[in-house]
Amino acid sequence: MRRETLYLQFLFAWLTGNGDLHAKNVSILGPSQGRWTVAPVYGVPCTAVHQDFSTALTIDGRTTRIRRRHREAFAASIGLPKAAARRTAGARPSSHGARGVRLRVVS
């Protein structure tokens, strides 16, 4: 399973105000060609439009005011090294030539 994909889904939810990301809104598919994968994003509401800026998923013990140190602690908790978390937050295009989304996460 690609930890970077799971982390990127968390970042996307956090950046777009989707406070409803929790374990029931993340699925694992597989095995495909012997590998488990994270399912594409689904159930993507924007809870921020209701002035709800909290997250359903606790990130390093917090559901609000999540900073870089909390995001990096979450990455570590899913086995993603700090350098990979920072690289994933930059979201460069993949080596397969697919077009990527460039995200800038500011502390």
Side-chain angles (χ1 to χ4, degrees), residues 7 10-11 14 59-62 64-77 80 82 85-86 105-107:
Y7 187 67
F10 152 69
L11 284 178
W14 179 70
I59 305 299
D60 195 30
R62 301 186 70 126
T64 60
R65 303 190 67 180
I66 297 168
R67 304 284 188 246
R68 175 184 282 174
R69 68 180 177 273
H70 306 118
R71 295 187 305 266
E72 289 177 352
F74 173 70
S77 77
L80 187 64
K82 186 185 291 187
R86 289 182 177 174
V105 180
V106 180
S107 295

Side-chain angles (χ1 to χ4, degrees), residues 25-107:
N25 284 340
V26 176
S27 294
I28 308 300
L29 302 173
S32 174
Q33 300 175 353
R35 297 186 68 178
W36 294 87
T37 59
V38 179
V41 175
Y42 62 91
V44 189
C46 180
T47 56
V49 300
H50 303 289
Q51 301 303 306
D52 180 1
F53 300 101
S54 64
T55 61
L57 182 64
T58 302
I59 305 299
D60 195 30
R62 301 186 70 126
T63 59
T64 60
R65 303 190 67 180
I66 297 168
R67 304 284 188 246
R68 175 184 282 174
R69 68 180 177 273
H70 306 118
R71 295 187 305 266
E72 289 177 352
F74 173 70
S77 77
I78 63 171
L80 187 64
K82 186 185 291 187
R86 289 182 177 174
R87 203 172 39 251
T88 300
R92 300 207 179 5
S94 75
S95 60
H96 301 168
R99 297 183 73 148
V101 176
R102 191 160 188 83
L103 302 174
R104 289 286 180 205
V105 180
V106 180
S107 295

